[in-house]
Amino acid sequence: MEVKEVKLVAHHVFVVLLAASVRTQVNPEMCRYPLGMTGGQIQDEDISASSQYSESTAARFGRLDFDNGDGDGAWCPGVTSEADGLKDFLQVDLRSLHFITLVGTQGRHADGMGNEFAQRYRIQYSRGGSDWVDWRDRKGRQVIEGNRNAYEAVLKDLEPPLIARFVRFMPVTDHSMIVCMRVELYGCEWLDGLTSYSIPDGHQMIYRGRDVYFNDSVYDGASAERLTQGLGQLTDGTWGLDDFLHSQIYGMWPGYDYVGWNNRSFPKGYVEMIFEFDHVRNFTSMKVYCNNMYSRGVRLFRQATCYFRSGPDWEADPVVFRPGADHVSQAARFVTVPLGDRTASSIKCRFHFGDLWMLLSELAFQSGSAVYNTSRNKGHPTSLLPGYDPTHKLDDSNTRILIGCLVAVIAILLAIIVIILWRQVWQKMLEKASRRMLDDELTARLADQTRAFSFHHSSLSSEEGSASTSTYERIFPLCADYQEPSRLIRKLPEFAQSAEPVEKPEAACSDNAPHYAEADIISLQESSESSTCPVTAVNISLFAGTDSSLKEFPRNKLTFKEKLGEGQFGEVHLCEAEDMQDFLNEDLCIEGNNMSPLLVAVKTLREDANKNARNDFLKEIRIMSRLRDPNIVRLLAVCVDSDPLCMITEYMENGDLNQFLCNLRLRQAAEDRTEWEEKEERSMVCDRKLIGMAAQIASGMKYLSSLNFVHRDLATRNCLVGKNYTIKIADFGMSRNLYRGDYYRIQGRAVLPIRWMSWESILLGKFTMASDVWAFGVTLWEILTLCKEQPYSQLSDEQVIENTGEFFRDQGKQVYLPKPPYCPDKVYSDLMLSCWRRNAKQRPSFQDIHTQLVESLA
Ligand code: AMP
């Protein structure tokens, strides 16, 4: 059974289950239905935008996973005069209030024709269409991390959920990027019809010396003496725990889930709340979620007195309800207040204190048709059953159905999992069997060659001291158990047989000698020409520690601003570093930047990192601490005295070079330019700029080569872009998740960036300055194609390795990367191709490359 089918079955089962479970409060975990951008339930006329780039990128094309062929595949805003692009928005009108828990975004892919997407965006919403509210997460942040490529949809939970009829997606972009978006909203209809509540803001309790805050921290209306014209925690679908000191939501302060008041501040003994609804309704009941921790002075309200209003005045006869005190259970609970089918568009309730404190977490109203039928029909209300009683009975009868359905679902899912696992095991067995047959056949056919190769290889090993069988072992520490790719070599029998002397692999001192970038730099520093071996060097480095000018920075002086991205080690954050300039030694000072606090990038080792990752992280610190060059990312300070380990580097405003270039277009000669391209000047580069960027990388590499430092993973993804097209080389030792597709997994173990690797690196495990030069050639190609495609994109990984064999054989059958359209002929023929010469000694040095690039700019 395919994954799609499994999803379908699971979905049907859930629909059955949900249809059976009629709820009277909105449940954010279930209220996650697509609201109709993809499915078409939202009409074209309900999708609008601030602007559109062209008719074919109008708002109506901004539907997630939807490409109907008429348009260009997404909504793309027109050219905005705002430098920060904050005015652009795509607006969706849902026609009625909805509880929205999730949003999805996607870029413009258009079957490979498009490559625009929003890396970050904000959301604004409105219930009436006139007042707009900026959505913020529970920590007050507005910006949502969006897409990383043009095709994958990225879903983001809205925490807290929002209640609105109109929603706007606002790409956050700097002027150098073109963005296009396709979106979807997920949630269900907001059947309560509540448009706002007005309450006194919550109080602060001091409990055993701890501050406990009962304020309504996500209220989206106005706050003066009272909170007015908004909704907040009382309608966020999260109910507090019995112990109000703890929160359902990780990392929030004590009391977070409740809004609460102290009796002493209310001389009349009650808290008055006013509820406004979208239209006149027939109210059957109100459910109030209350805390009852009487051992700490908190109890259910003693009495609720509710007044009703359909016109200008409140009606005289209120509904009065007394729940009765509970001295037995301290459990928090929903209390149902019957509202006697009263008609109103506003309700005013006075909740009388039952003790010193009253804490409420959630409120829900049942009116007329307002019962949550969670079937997929956009959450449209079902009509009330005759004689329906919206109190506990409903919940009780449904509990049994719910449990029954849950058991059935679990059983079905278990059966599906067993079937899938069984299929996988079966497939693996088949694969193994066929592979074994293939291997046997190959072994028989190539027995002679293999013997010859083994002999040649082992003689090389003994000659050279030891040709390590674990040459790649520590290069990409994702997989510590990497084995030599002998299968690959066996695929190239001529390689083993070749009469031509194979350049000798770099010697390693023992099997566990880490062929790590660090070894090179340390061995240089410790160089004793005769017999220094990397193992000794690495050991020295481990004890030698970091560069002495690098100091521990006080963590409390770092203020988080936003997440920049995520790498293999963990997240990278943009932070403000207080007094950093004073803290840095002169040689580390960031020239021309006297801003305080200073913006820095903080790379943090994830908390669950294992020992290997921790060691690798410390190694990267050691390597970086010794590098000082304008084109190498500067390590400024570290926080390693306690966990989580952090390295603080200079902040590169434009992120990694690959993404940066991907979002640019090449400026053509002036006469070819369209009117739009003239306007789009800011997102265009000329080939001179591109060559300038490559020259900066060459300059950084020239510095590394002066230290005999081999980078081993040079590529645009591992370079960062600062202001004014400044490029710096980064990533000393790790590959990144984002670019997983650039790495080739051999026998499911090691990962290698084969498309950037020289033939001798792949076949011999030999990494030298010359193999870095090869990678530079590929990086230059990426730059001049604006990273619009992966190198050798038309070849599979296996074919790339076969092509490597052709480079080795050198019979004119090897495939070179083609000349990028706007690449000057001289740069391609004299420079790029020379980086891929078979004989490593004939490749240019970084000194030559740098000179050549600078000259071509003159
Ligand atoms: P890394 O862990 O180095 O692979 O970085 C992960 C992500 O963080 C990448 O997508 C980079 O774009 C971003 N990043 C890393 N270092 C910096 C920096 N110094 N300035 C700006 N962005 C950075």
Side-chain angles (χ1 to χ4, degrees), residues 271-420:
V271 175
E272 186 170 272
M273 305 189 191
I274 299 171
F275 306 100
E276 303 288 348
F277 296 84
D278 49 358
H279 53 79
V280 176
R281 289 168 172 254
N282 238 4
F283 288 95
T284 48
S285 64
M286 165 174 73
K287 287 189 151 199
V288 188
Y289 194 86
C290 312
N291 191 279
N292 196 41
M293 252 272 115
Y294 50 78
S295 59
R296 295 182 191 160
V298 182
R299 266 182 216 273
L300 310 179
F301 56 89
R302 182 170 51 79
Q303 175 182 312
T305 310
C306 294
Y307 296 83
F308 299 84
R309 182 173 71 182
S310 306
D313 301 318
W314 294 106
E315 290 165 18
D317 52 331
V319 166
V320 178
F321 173 75
R322 293 190 187 88
D326 182 348
H327 306 288
V328 181
S329 166
Q330 300 212 70
R333 72 208 59 186
F334 268 107
V335 175
T336 304
V337 180
L339 295 179
D341 279 328
R342 295 286 291 267
T343 305
S345 60
S346 309
I347 301 178
K348 175 170 73 183
C349 289
R350 291 173 178 163
F351 293 94
H352 293 255
F353 284 89
D355 207 329
L356 183 59
W357 285 89
M358 179 163 63
L359 309 184
L360 308 187
S361 173
E362 196 71 11
L363 275 159
F365 289 86
Q366 290 76 52
S367 59
S369 55
V371 172
Y372 281 92
N373 176 356
T374 39
S375 71
R376 293 205 69 171
N377 186 18
K378 270 186 77 181
H380 282 304
T382 52
S383 34
L384 259 188
L385 306 170
Y388 167 72
D389 175 5
T391 55
H392 302 293
K393 271 187 194 162
L394 174 74
D395 301 335
D396 292 347
S397 59
N398 278 314
T399 309
R400 259 176 266 138
I401 301 171
L402 197 68
I403 292 172
C405 288
L406 268 178
V407 171
V409 168
I410 291 169
I412 292 171
L413 287 179
L414 277 177
I416 291 168
I417 290 169
V418 168
I419 292 171
I420 291 172

Side-chain angles (χ1 to χ4, degrees), residues 148 564-574 600-603 620 633-634 649-657 659 717-721 730-731 734-739:
R148 285 273 160 199
L564 291 172
E566 194 161 355
Q568 195 60 42
F569 288 126
E571 294 191 344
V572 182
H573 294 160
L574 173 64
V600 292
V602 178
K603 194 188 271 195
E620 187 166 4
V633 167
R634 193 83 63 85
T649 64
E650 58 186 314
Y651 168 51
M652 301 293 285
E653 290 80 352
N654 287 304
D656 75 64
L657 180 59
Q659 292 290 314
R717 64 182 170 273
N718 289 333
C719 298
L720 294 170
V721 189
D731 262 287
M734 277 292 192
S735 57
R736 265 179 291 167
N737 277 341
L738 175 63
Y739 299 100

Side-chain angles (χ1 to χ4, degrees), residues 539-733:
N539 287 345
I540 289 166
S541 82
L542 288 172
F543 294 107
T546 53
D547 181 279
S548 58
S549 59
L550 200 69
K551 288 186 287 184
E552 176 79 13
F553 188 74
R555 251 172 231 277
N556 56 3
K557 292 195 169 185
L558 290 173
T559 310
F560 173 86
K561 299 285 292 176
E562 67 186 65
K563 184 175 154 186
L564 291 172
E566 194 161 355
Q568 195 60 42
F569 288 126
E571 294 191 344
V572 182
H573 294 160
L574 173 64
C575 292
E576 279 180 353
E578 207 184 310
D579 303 330
M580 177 58 102
Q581 289 290 23
D582 303 339
F583 177 87
L584 295 176
N585 281 347
E586 235 170 62
D587 64 331
L588 275 175
C589 267
I590 299 180
E591 292 137 39
N593 193 344
N594 291 320
M595 281 192 344
S596 186
L598 186 70
L599 284 176
V600 292
V602 178
K603 194 188 271 195
T604 311
L605 179 66
R606 70 175 92 247
E607 276 174 12
D608 59 354
N610 63 18
K611 223 169 108 196
N612 284 346
R614 199 180 163 86
N615 285 340
D616 289 330
F617 191 80
L618 290 169
K619 275 182 193 166
E620 187 166 4
I621 289 181
R622 273 185 225 112
I623 294 167
M624 286 187 72
S625 70
R626 288 155 198 256
L627 303 176
R628 299 265 189 292
D629 184 81
N631 296 111
I632 306 281
V633 167
R634 193 83 63 85
L635 181 64
L636 301 174
V638 290
C639 303
V640 289
D641 278 358
S642 60
D643 282 339
L645 304 183
C646 298
M647 58 174 100
I648 304 174
T649 64
E650 58 186 314
Y651 168 51
M652 301 293 285
E653 290 80 352
N654 287 304
D656 75 64
L657 180 59
N658 189 285
Q659 292 290 314
F660 179 76
L661 290 177
C662 239
N663 291 315
L664 294 183
R665 287 164 192 238
L666 198 69
R667 187 191 299 151
Q668 300 156 15
E671 62 271 23
D672 297 337
R673 278 194 247 166
T674 63
E675 194 186 323
W676 178 75
E677 281 163 346
E678 293 286 353
K679 285 191 211 153
E680 270 297 282
E681 192 75 6
R682 287 170 305 183
S683 62
M684 317 268 284
V685 275
C686 59
D687 46 4
R688 268 182 71 78
K689 274 243 164 68
L690 296 178
I691 302 277
M693 291 184 205
Q696 292 183 63
I697 299 175
S699 174
M701 290 306 293
K702 197 172 80 178
Y703 166 76
L704 293 184
S705 64
S706 74
L707 298 176
N708 250 356
F709 181 96
V710 183
H711 187 287
R712 298 167 195 238
D713 196 10
L714 183 61
T716 54
R717 64 182 170 273
N718 289 333
C719 298
L720 294 170
V721 189
K723 284 195 192 99
N724 301 326
Y725 299 95
T726 314
I727 313 291
K728 303 202 182 199
I729 302 163
D731 262 287
F732 297 85

